[in-house]
Amino acid sequence: MNEKFYLTTAIAYASRKPHFGNTYEVIMSDAVARYQRMRGKDVFFCTGTDEHGQKIENLANEQGITPQKYVDGVAGEIKGIWDLMNASYDYFIRTTDDDHVAAVQKIFRKFYEKGDIYKSKYEGWYCTPCESFFTATQAVDGKCPDCGRELSQAEEEAYFFKMSKYADRLMKHIDENPDFIQPELRKKEMVNNFLKAGLQDLCVSRTSFKWGIPVDFDDKHVVYVWLDALTNYITALGYDPDKSYEEQSEHFKKYWPADVHIIGKDILRFHTIYWPIFLMALELPLPAKVFGHPWFNFGMDKMSKSKGNVIYADKLAEHFGVDGVRYYALSEMPFASDGSITYEAVIKRYNMDLVNNLGNLVKRTLDMEKKYFGKVIPAPTCPDPLDEELKAACKKAYSEVCTAMDDYHIADALESLFAMFSRANKYIDETTPWTLAKDEANRARLGTVLYNLMESIRQGAVMLTPFIPATAEEILNELNTSRRSFETLDGFDGMIPGDTVNDSKVLFARVDEEKKLAEFEAERQAMIAAAQKEEEKPEKPEGCALIGIEDFMNVELRSAKVIACEKVPKAKKLLKLQIDLGYEQRQVVSGIAKWYEPEQLIGKKIIVVANLKPATLCGIESEGMILASGEETVRVVFLAEDTPLGERIR
């Protein structure tokens, strides 16, 4: 039986479309999952969406739709981007899934019955965007220490989890398992800033909003979004809270504990403190590793729509292809410090690495193979010391790629691999096949050179598979080889003499930097304009007190037609209208003279408050009110021409 490997991403919060930095996580995780599969492991790769919380409820209310409809749309968009990026996940969980909801309710009840949860009252700071609680000492001038946004004071009845009960046990686990939190500097942050400072009990329910998993024994409460979200790593495997670890399904016991949770550095506290403690309370083993990857910034700045520097992976793929996006993401993110993305940097790396180094190597090798040997693979019968250097470069790359990937140094793995491609390109310049082809006496040497090049390309393509899988597959198809596993990299004889290769294709087309930057600038300006327009949207009005349907029905709105209209002398704001309700005619005075001339209204069908008490304006009696919108600019509500007169508006 193959060794198992359970890998997860943090599930994406279903509030907005994920930008490039968010998408990096699933690309990195996919590279790790593909690599582990190629090492022969039985991989289970889980990702998904986190769909509850106050922020989502607020966003749904702003759009006038239900939270479920809102998250259905965003979750679908997230999944679509994950699929576009060629993520090979085995399970996509949504925290609105029925089985997840049922399991979370049981987990919450289990904690309560065990005495780990108690009811009290929460008073303190809360960050809605991060769905996080903070003490007064953690808050920085009333702002969130994680995202920098304004915190709000929260006061509500809540259930609390006794975190301090498990603090010493967690500290002991971290001490005894030095690789549990990676990179090392992240571990120091968690231990010094939280564990040694003393853990406070954690608020694990909310009563100030409704969009969450209900506490089934106290329906005023919904489960705190982070308790809900973190448990996805076990509910995705079918965890049953009513059973002990030994009684769980074979599927669960096969994959749990997780080998690695790959997450952003900003949510390390939840995954290395809260999550292990929850697992301890459930009497489940802890994950082997939590890897907190850095962030991608735009240059030196955080991504912001108002600055026009938000980059989305799917949009970037329209310019550079999916593998162009994957390659940049994986090659540019350092192990511990933040990565940087600019359009100039993407273009430069795309042209230098993918076009010049890899693409050029593959195309000119296969073109020479077709030209000199009719696509039939020659036997390597005429060795030279230069050949050994190329073989050593391939062997070195394989060793370094495996070492780097085992330690999650993804960019280092790609650097080693592309150094090998550079060495193969240098080998072409050193051996000059075009010169060898001029003399039939050198044909055996020419065949050996081309064999060595094709074999080095094959080995490189196999190693490329976790990183840019579609390109790797295309290269292997052009080589027409079935030898695509890591096991075939031990020697240097994967290409079979006498077999034929296929025609070459352009893997990556050169990008015109000046032209492409102009396109990006146009997109940036459009983003800034859209952000400004969004900021100009009016704030939601406070409105009036809510009324019942019976109150609304007491207002009689009727359709009417304007049959005459004139200005009121000595009253610049007023127009006097004669209206026909079908069953009677009336006179109405309205303060709309600033926006309408009398002739614009004659013949129009309008809505009138028909049961309004008569009033006298500037000595003229008015029997009703015209329905209109706006304050600074007033717009009369006009009805369709075929609307019957006197019809009740409901």
Side-chain angles (χ1 to χ4, degrees):
M1 181 181 293
N2 291 343
E3 181 184 352
K4 69 91 180 175
F5 190 86
Y6 181 32
L7 156 114
T8 74
T9 70
I11 49 177
Y13 197 49
S15 58
R16 301 285 190 193
K17 176 180 178 178
H19 58 60
F20 180 80
N22 305 135
T23 310
Y24 165 75
E25 185 171 300
V26 78
I27 295 174
M28 175 196 171
S29 299
D30 180 67
V32 173
R34 289 176 182 272
Y35 165 76
Q36 294 292 347
R37 290 190 192 106
M38 294 191 75
R39 294 298 297 269
K41 294 184 181 178
D42 180 357
V43 173
F44 193 81
F45 172 19
C46 183
T47 186
T49 44
D50 174 9
E51 302 182 11
H52 292 122
Q54 186 174 4
K55 183 177 180 180
I56 286 174
E57 183 175 273
N58 293 345
L59 290 168
N61 289 338
E62 289 174 10
Q63 293 192 12
I65 59 177
T66 65
Q68 185 65 59
K69 185 174 182 180
Y70 184 89
V71 295
D72 285 346
V74 178
E77 187 172 35
I78 292 170
K79 190 173 186 292
I81 293 173
W82 279 200
D83 290 341
L84 175 66
M85 290 296 109
N86 212 355
S88 60
Y89 54 83
D90 297 287
Y91 192 76
F92 190 98
I93 188 171
R94 297 179 57 184
T95 56
T96 52
D97 291 341
D98 290 343
D99 51 353
H100 173 79
V101 170
V104 170
Q105 289 179 319
K106 288 182 178 180
I107 288 170
F108 196 95
R109 178 183 286 272
K110 187 171 185 175
F111 287 159
Y112 180 72
E113 292 175 348
K114 190 177 180 181
D116 287 332
I117 283 179
Y118 62 94
K119 185 188 285 189
S120 186
K121 181 180 179 182
Y122 177 79
E123 293 183 66
W125 294 103
Y126 187 72
C127 178
T128 300
C130 295
E131 301 281 5
S132 301
F133 298 98
F134 295 100
T135 64
T137 55
Q138 291 171 332
V140 181
D141 298 326
K143 293 183 178 180
C144 175
D146 290 338
C147 72
R149 295 182 179 92
E150 293 289 336
L151 295 171
S152 59
Q153 277 286 343
E155 181 177 330
E156 59 187 284
E157 180 183 272
Y159 284 94
F160 287 80
F161 189 99
K162 297 176 181 178
M163 304 300 290
S164 56
K165 176 179 175 181
Y166 298 91
D168 290 343
R169 182 175 163 187
L170 176 57
M171 182 72 83
K172 183 173 183 289
H173 179 85
I174 293 173
D175 289 341
E176 294 176 352
N177 296 272
D179 292 332
F180 176 58
I181 304 174
Q182 289 291 316
E184 179 70 19
L185 65 91
R186 307 275 182 249
K187 178 170 71 175
K188 292 178 180 177
E189 290 173 4
M190 295 302 105
V191 171
N192 294 333
N193 295 348
F194 294 98
L195 285 172
K196 288 186 177 179
L199 281 182
Q200 294 190 341
D201 290 349
L202 178 68
C203 178
V204 290
S205 77
R206 302 293 305 277
T207 54
S208 57
F209 62 92
K210 291 297 184 183
W211 183 238
I213 296 177
V215 174
D216 61 0
F217 57 86
D218 193 342
D219 59 9
K220 288 194 306 180
H221 293 253
V222 295
V223 178
Y224 174 45
V225 65
W226 273 106
L227 173 56
D228 165 12
L230 288 166
T231 55
N232 93 89
Y233 304 127
I234 53 177
T235 64
L237 296 175
Y239 173 68
D240 186 346
D242 292 334
K243 297 179 179 179
S244 67
Y245 178 76
E246 291 72 20
E247 296 170 325
Q248 297 295 323
S249 69
E250 291 304 313
H251 180 71
F252 180 86
K253 289 188 292 185
K254 177 181 181 180
Y255 290 108
W256 190 261
D259 292 84
V260 63
H261 294 315
I262 295 178
I263 62 167
K265 65 178 184 178
D266 54 321
I267 55 174
L268 207 67
R269 168 168 51 103
F270 304 98
H271 286 79
T272 60
I273 296 177
Y274 302 159
W275 178 227
I277 285 177
F278 292 154
L279 289 169
M280 289 175 180
L282 291 171
E283 299 178 7
L284 292 176
L286 273 55
K289 188 187 300 289
V290 179
F291 182 83
H293 65 75
W295 290 342
F296 256 115
N297 295 323
F298 187 89
M300 300 300 292
D301 299 326
K302 288 187 177 180
M303 295 186 187
S304 165
K305 287 185 178 180
S306 62
K307 295 179 181 178
N309 64 5
V310 177
I311 297 178
Y312 297 103
D314 57 338
K315 292 297 182 183
L316 203 62
E318 294 175 4
H319 298 276
F320 300 99
V322 170
D323 276 357
V325 174
R326 285 178 63 108
Y327 178 72
Y328 186 86
L330 296 171
S331 62
E332 279 291 330
M333 179 67 87
F335 175 72
S337 58
D338 287 346
S340 171
I341 180 170
T342 64
Y343 291 122
E344 291 86 351
V346 175
I347 294 170
K348 181 179 179 181
R349 188 172 277 280
Y350 180 87
N351 281 339
M352 289 182 61
D353 292 0
L354 297 180
V355 177
N356 290 354
N357 196 352
L358 175 61
N360 190 42
L361 171 66
V362 175
K363 180 141 185 48
R364 64 175 176 164
T365 297
L366 288 175
D367 286 350
M368 286 189 291
E369 165 63 15
K370 179 180 180 180
K371 181 178 180 179
Y372 302 137
F373 291 92
K375 299 192 289 188
V376 178
I377 301 171
T381 58
C382 188
D384 183 273
L386 279 174
D387 305 346
E388 297 307 313
E389 293 182 24
L390 180 61
K391 294 177 184 179
C394 292
K395 186 175 182 179
K396 180 173 183 285
Y398 179 49
S399 174
E400 290 179 351
V401 165
C402 291
T403 299
M405 289 300 291
D406 287 340
D407 293 334
Y408 302 95
H409 286 259
I410 315 295
D412 292 344
L414 278 170
E415 184 178 356
S416 295
L417 181 50
F418 273 75
M420 187 206 83
F421 291 137
S422 294
R423 184 64 189 85
N425 275 306
K426 183 181 179 184
Y427 178 79
I428 294 177
D429 296 335
E430 292 169 334
T431 57
T432 61
W434 51 90
T435 302
L436 294 173
K438 292 177 181 179
D439 188 343
E440 185 64 25
N442 295 325
R443 187 163 180 78
R445 178 59 188 155
L446 174 62
T448 300
V449 167
L450 288 175
Y451 180 90
N452 291 340
L453 284 169
M454 287 186 288
E455 174 62 10
S456 63
I457 291 171
R458 183 193 71 84
Q459 294 207 8
V462 171
M463 287 184 268
L464 268 179
T465 300
F467 310 104
I468 48 176
T471 299
E473 183 179 13
E474 174 59 34
I475 294 171
L476 292 167
N477 288 343
E478 290 179 22
L479 291 172
N480 196 24
T481 178
S482 61
R483 308 197 72 186
R484 305 183 177 202
S485 67
F486 275 8
E487 287 79 3
T488 66
L489 303 182
D490 289 341
F492 201 76
D493 56 357
M495 299 297 291
I496 309 300
D499 285 357
T500 58
V501 297
N502 293 317
D503 288 330
S504 68
K505 296 179 181 178
V506 176
L507 296 175
F508 301 96
R510 175 168 293 279
V511 169
D512 184 318
E513 182 173 3
E514 184 177 347
K515 181 179 178 181
K516 189 61 69 176
L517 288 176
E519 292 177 21
F520 288 137
E521 178 59 22
E523 291 179 4
R524 189 180 77 87
Q525 293 299 331
M527 185 183 296
I528 292 173
Q532 290 173 343
K533 187 174 181 180
E534 182 73 19
E535 290 175 0
E536 291 169 1
K537 287 173 63 175
E539 293 184 5
K540 183 178 179 180
E542 292 184 7
C544 303
L546 296 176
I547 62 172
I549 184 65
E550 67 282 355
D551 296 313
F552 174 75
M553 293 305 294
N554 286 335
V555 180
E556 187 178 348
L557 303 175
R558 297 278 179 182
S559 57
K561 183 177 182 179
V562 180
I563 56 178
C565 183
E566 61 182 275
K567 292 184 178 181
V568 176
K570 299 181 180 180
K572 294 181 180 180
K573 296 182 180 180
L574 301 180
L575 291 179
K576 182 173 66 174
L577 301 90
Q578 303 299 322
I579 62 171
D580 185 1
L581 287 156
Y583 54 85
E584 67 180 31
Q585 294 183 0
R586 293 187 187 182
Q587 177 174 282
V588 175
V589 178
S590 180
I592 57 175
K594 180 180 177 181
W595 297 279
Y596 292 94
E597 294 295 327
E599 56 270 21
Q600 291 178 271
L601 299 172
I602 296 173
K604 298 288 187 181
K605 290 187 176 178
I606 59 175
I607 299 175
V608 178
V609 181
N611 63 338
L612 196 65
K613 292 180 181 179
T616 301
L617 302 174
C618 290
I620 303 173
E621 187 176 44
S622 177
E623 297 179 280
M625 178 182 291
I626 294 174
L627 210 62
S629 68
E631 295 179 3
E632 294 183 4
T633 299
V634 172
R635 301 172 185 84
V636 173
V637 178
F638 295 117
L639 297 172
E641 287 292 326
D642 59 355
T643 305
L645 297 182
E647 188 171 64
R648 183 79 184 264
I649 309 297
R650 300 175 184 272

